[in-house]
């Protein structure tokens, strides 16, 4: 039996265990959420796709910013990580105007204190990606904050450091993904501090759960874009007229199969490896 340690936390679709004093195990389930509700039906291998992608990006961005990855477990869905002191903000980078960024822009012309030009449409690409931090809400929704508010939480110098790291990471991954037909519209990072006081990227990196992935071939600003991974699930849920409160609907097998195929497609396009090869040997994604 592999060591899993004591449970120390859970997210909507992931669990965190302590392995020892300085290592954690981050386990990604096959659960899927839509409209903020976890559905009763799982997407087979979703957790492995997200774990493999995250590990892939950690290895390829290690020179831009240190990260918490220590090892990928043979199950393909768990990462051994360095235990850090987590910073109490979500670090979001937006390259496109979507979600709460689009909402805030419509209401005020600004997002997190960034004044944007007039006349932008929903899903428009921004002239330059912006750092838009948010609070970590225990329950409910993260709230966008200004850099002044972020500075009150972690200090002016740490804000400058996480902003620079976040923008560098986003530029690298969004350019790489765009060459492979996937727009990373925005992404969320969590950072921690190690024993030496160094900034370390934690949590997951550039997965479809932490980012908006859009298919580049159908990109058309002026409306919401289809999600690369979850669009079948959203369309199916919309077709039911479900009120988007818990519990969500069971998914039919064609929606499950189509959604699994989209996750696998994202993995294969981005990593340029077969997902079957990952299942055979998860550590291969590190090379
Ligand atoms: C940590 N969270 C919030 C998955 C993710 N390397 C770390 N060291 C210490 N603490 C954390 C990490 C990481 N990653 C991160 N909570 C603790 C995100 N979660 C919550 C539950 O499941």
């Amino acid at each position: 039996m592999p060591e899993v340690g004591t449970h120390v936390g859970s997210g909507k679709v992931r669990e965190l265990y302590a392995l020892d004093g300085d290592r954690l195990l981050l386990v990604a389930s096959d659960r899927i959420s839509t409209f903020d509700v976890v559905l009763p039906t799982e997407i087979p291998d979703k957790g492995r796709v997200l774990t493999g992608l995250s590990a892939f990006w950690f290895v390829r961005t290690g020179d831009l910013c240190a990260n918490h990855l220590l090892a990928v477990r043979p199950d393909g869905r768990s990462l051994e990580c360095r235990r850090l002191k987590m910073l109490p903000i979500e670090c979001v980078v937006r390259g496109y105007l979507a979600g709460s960024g689009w909402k805030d822009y419509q209401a005020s012309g600004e997002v997190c204190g960034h004044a944007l030009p007039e006349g932008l449409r929903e899903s428009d690409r921004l002239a330059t990606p912006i750092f838009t931090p948010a609070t970590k809400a225990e329950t409910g929704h993260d709230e966008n904050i200004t850099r002044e508010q972020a500075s009150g939480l972690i200090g002016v110098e740490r804000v400058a450091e996480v902003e620079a790291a976040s923008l560098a990471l986003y530029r690298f991954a969004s350019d790489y993904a765009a060459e492979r037909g996937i727009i990373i519209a925005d992404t969320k990072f969590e950072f921690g501090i190690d024993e030496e006081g160094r900034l370390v990227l934690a949590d997951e990196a550039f997965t479809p759960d932490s980012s908006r992935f859009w298919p580049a071939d159908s990109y058309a600003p002026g409306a919401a874009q289809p999600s690369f991974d979850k669009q079948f699930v959203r369309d199916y849920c919309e077709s039911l007229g479900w009120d988007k409160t818990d519990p969500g609907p069971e998914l039919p097998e064609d929606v499950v199969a189509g959604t699994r195929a989209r996750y696998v497609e994202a993995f294969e396009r981005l990593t340029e490896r077969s997902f079957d090869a990952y299942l055979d040997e998860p550590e291969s994604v590190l090379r």
Side-chain angles (χ1 to χ4, degrees), residues 179-287:
E179 288 169 13
R180 288 153 186 86
I182 294 175
I183 293 172
I184 302 180
D186 50 41
T187 194
K188 186 204 80 178
F189 305 112
E190 293 192 36
F191 290 93
I193 306 298
D194 71 11
E195 304 274 60
E196 283 74 49
R198 285 182 296 236
L199 185 71
V200 180
L201 178 62
D203 200 53
E204 57 185 335
F206 302 109
T207 68
D209 276 8
S210 66
S211 317
R212 277 193 181 81
F213 282 17
W214 294 339
D217 61 1
S218 63
Y219 174 61
Q225 301 303 290
S227 160
F228 192 94
D229 46 302
K230 288 183 177 171
Q231 201 56 43
F232 295 139
V233 172
R234 293 193 186 148
D235 290 348
Y236 175 72
C237 289
E238 297 282 15
S239 79
L240 296 176
W242 165 51
D243 67 1
K244 296 167 190 175
T245 64
D246 199 51
E250 301 263 12
L251 301 175
E253 67 183 26
D254 62 318
V255 173
V256 172
T259 301
R260 181 185 182 282
R262 292 298 275 175
Y263 281 107
V264 170
E265 185 180 347
F267 178 96
E268 293 189 335
R269 279 208 214 177
L270 292 171
T271 66
E272 300 177 334
R273 319 289 175 87
S274 83
F275 184 60
D276 282 339
Y278 176 73
L279 294 179
D280 280 351
E281 195 198 349
E283 285 188 298
S284 63
V285 83
L286 304 177
R287 298 192 288 266

Side-chain angles (χ1 to χ4, degrees), residues 8-12 14-16 24 26-27 68 81-86 136 190 202-204:
V8 295
S10 51
K12 277 210 297 273
R14 292 175 304 149
E15 307 291 339
L16 201 53
L24 298 175
L26 196 45
V27 184
H68 71 163
C81 304
R82 294 159 65 192
R83 193 172 205 154
L84 305 166
K85 183 137 179 56
M86 298 301 290
K136 285 187 186 179
E190 293 192 36
D203 200 53
E204 57 185 335

Side-chain angles (χ1 to χ4, degrees), residues 51 67 76 87 89 106 109-110 156-157 169 175 181 197 200 202 208 244:
T51 296
N67 61 67
L87 295 178
I89 64 169
Q106 283 178 289
E110 296 187 6
V156 177
E157 293 195 342
L169 290 163
D175 287 352
V200 180
K244 296 167 190 175

